[in-house]
Amino acid sequence: MLKDITLGQFFPGNSAVHRMDPRVKLMLMVVYIALVFLVKGFLGYAILAAFIAGTAFLSRIKPKFLLRSVKPVLFIVVMTFVLNIFFYRGEELLFQWWIIRVYKEGIRFAVFMALRLVFLLVGTSLLTLTTSPMALTDALERLLKPLNAIRFPVHEMAMMMTIALRFIPTLLEETDKIIKAQTARGADFDTGNLLQRAKAMVPLLVPLFVSAFRRADELAMAMEARCYHGGTNRTRMKQLHVTGIDYAGIAVVAVTTGLVLLERLL
Amino acid sequence: MEIIRVSDVYYEYENPDEPADMAVKGVSLTVQKGEWLSIIGHNGSGKSTLVKLLNGLFLPKSGAVLVDNIDTRDEQRIWDVRQKVGMIFQNPDNQMVATIVEEDVAFGLENLGVPPQEIQRRVYQALKAVGMTQYAASAPHMLSGGQKQRVAIAGVLAMKPDVILMDEPTAMLDPSGRREVMDTVQRLHEEEGMTVVLITHFMEEALRGDRVIVMEKGQTVMEGEPAQVFSQVERLKDIGLDVPPMTELAHRLRAHGIDVHGAPMNVEEMVEELCRLKQEN
Ligand SMILES: Nc1ncnc2c1ncn2[C@@H]1O[C@H](COP(=O)(O)OP(=O)(O)O)[C@@H](O)[C@H]1O
Ligand SMILES: [Mg+2]
């Protein structure tokens, strides 16, 4: 059951969006996030919507999957919406009851905030749907390399992320096994109050942690045996190249940015 | 030609499981280029400790380990030592670093600072040598145990080592995975002349080698060709080791006055020997 949980939500493919250099995608994502905060009116959101729809179409990711990313945080979106409606103080009072006052500006603001969240979620999930976690880690490591100058351990962070990505499926599989083994011996993980359930987790977590530490120990040994000694003088097999597709992508984002700025000024 | 020389090596863990007992006590041995050396022995007899001394993962407390005439204590050349002596561990999961097979195979070469094009070429060659090219883009957790061990072997091969050390590489595999891995190793040994040092507790795996070393309590207690070592049935049993069934049968037949020659190690050899005896009588 736990095995079905896939890490991230990467959808392998060969579309133009998939083939873009992850570094470029990551940087364009930063620009996109800025745009989401710059947008002033509905026209601006229409521009962003057109951009997202176009990219999604090119990437051949089904809209269903894009919207799925909103689901887990739907509650937060709705809460932001409701709170903003009730607590925003504007000028044009539409409706008043007890201490609740709803202003026209409040509705507008609430809608904008909700849209902003949705656009952020859909945009970032478009990135994670078309880029493998490994490629993202790789891109981050290369983009953040200058931070080495201020002694930020860029390579080490990236290596930690890689190892986490590598071992999450293994540990999930192991958790599954332990749960089954303990259930077979009469352990009960699903009933009882919170405290009882937390207690039931102990025989699950203890062996899991013990094994994780043993794995870490053995992996460290195996990495050393294969000459790992940190990021110095290390080369990479996969080279990243900025190609025509990337320039096209940059151009599209540039146009979108121009339009959004225009909308803001008008 | 000699590739590894171990002379009178002692090793002690910092927090030994059994205090006042060294894990390796005065071991001396050599590994010749192109040979297959098997190491057998009881759990806790010091086999794993010994092989970790061979590639500088552990450094001897006294005595010395020379790999291609480089002392493993020479800090400047430790990466040369580890490039020359690759190592495969028991647990296939705990020795893979990357989330994609080909990147895992590339890991060692990346650490050595090999140029990207050269890495790609050698990764492909190594995957081909273990028959795993079609899995180059797979995630490690989708592979079987035997396939994972073959990927680990590819990762070592890509570094063009002189010796491959294997610490019970098949202990966690099912029979088909075990065969898959041993056949790969055998092919590398026979076709590419790869030097193999194999720790195993499967006697039929030790039989494939050119030479067997038996360890007990941190010392080497027997050494010789497989047939010679396995013919000393009583001694092996004293140490607490299994003897291959046909070797044991030969031993028992001899005890009953039937003069079986040599140490037949599988059913075919036994049948041959018995037929020969029958014709003689
Ligand atoms: N990490 C360790 N810390 C302390 N003692 C150890 C450690 N690993 C092994 N030992 C001890 O060293 C001895 C040899 O162990 P090992 O080399 O693993 O044997 P083998 O591989 O033949 O089973 C054993 O007595 C074992 O208990
Ligand atoms: Mg061992």
Side-chain angles (χ1 to χ4, degrees), chain A residues 134 159 162 165-167 169-170 215 218-219 221-229 233-239, chain B residues 58 79 82 89 91 93-99 102-104 107-108 110-114 116 119-120 141 159:
Chain A
M134 193 64 201
M159 186 51 88
T162 308
L165 290 172
R166 155 72 189 82
F167 277 90
T170 310
R215 284 182 196 281
E218 286 181 20
L219 183 70
M221 195 72 91
M223 286 169 72
E224 271 191 60
R226 283 163 78 189
C227 298
Y228 180 69
H229 52 281
N233 298 330
R234 201 163 186 269
T235 48
R236 300 303 305 273
M237 172 173 73
K238 280 229 177 84
Q239 296 296 298
Chain B
F58 294 166
W79 310 120
R82 296 202 183 142
F89 295 80
N91 189 325
D93 274 320
N94 299 353
Q95 54 184 318
M96 304 189 94
V97 190
T99 53
E102 59 177 356
E103 297 215 1
D104 190 77
F107 181 72
E110 294 181 333
N111 293 333
L112 290 174
V114 175
I119 297 184
Q120 273 170 13
H141 68 274
M159 295 168 82

Side-chain angles (χ1 to χ4, degrees), chain B residues 101-157:
Chain B
V101 165
E102 59 177 356
E103 297 215 1
D104 190 77
V105 176
F107 181 72
L109 297 175
E110 294 181 333
N111 293 333
L112 290 174
V114 175
Q117 254 91 46
E118 173 74 4
I119 297 184
Q120 273 170 13
R121 205 175 55 77
R122 276 158 70 169
V123 164
Y124 179 77
Q125 274 180 351
L127 282 172
K128 202 167 141 192
V130 299
M132 287 293 290
T133 35
Q134 72 269 43
Y135 296 97
S138 305
H141 68 274
M142 305 304 281
L143 304 179
S144 72
Q147 290 172 328
K148 283 181 206 167
Q149 282 304 51
R150 275 152 68 200
V151 170
I153 293 173
V156 165
L157 279 184

Side-chain angles (χ1 to χ4, degrees), chain A residues 205-250:
Chain A
L205 290 177
V206 170
L208 199 62
F209 267 86
V210 170
S211 128
F213 279 108
R214 203 197 54 235
R215 284 182 196 281
D217 203 31
E218 286 181 20
L219 183 70
M221 195 72 91
M223 286 169 72
E224 271 191 60
R226 283 163 78 189
C227 298
Y228 180 69
H229 52 281
T232 41
N233 298 330
R234 201 163 186 269
T235 48
R236 300 303 305 273
M237 172 173 73
K238 280 229 177 84
Q239 296 296 298
L240 296 178
H241 299 289
V242 178
T243 60
I245 304 175
D246 299 302
Y247 291 119
I250 293 171

Side-chain angles (χ1 to χ4, degrees), chain B residues 1 8 10 17 19 34 43 47 50 75 90-91 95 104 176 179 221 232 235 241-242 244 248 270:
Chain B
M1 206 185 93
D8 201 24
Y10 286 78
D17 298 343
N43 268 344
K47 307 179 299 289
L50 176 64
E75 275 174 39
Q90 184 182 94
N91 189 325
Q95 54 184 318
D104 190 77
S176 76
R179 202 171 326 115
V221 290
Q232 303 179 46
R235 184 119 186 255
L241 290 172
D242 288 336
E248 166 135 36
M270 190 52 142

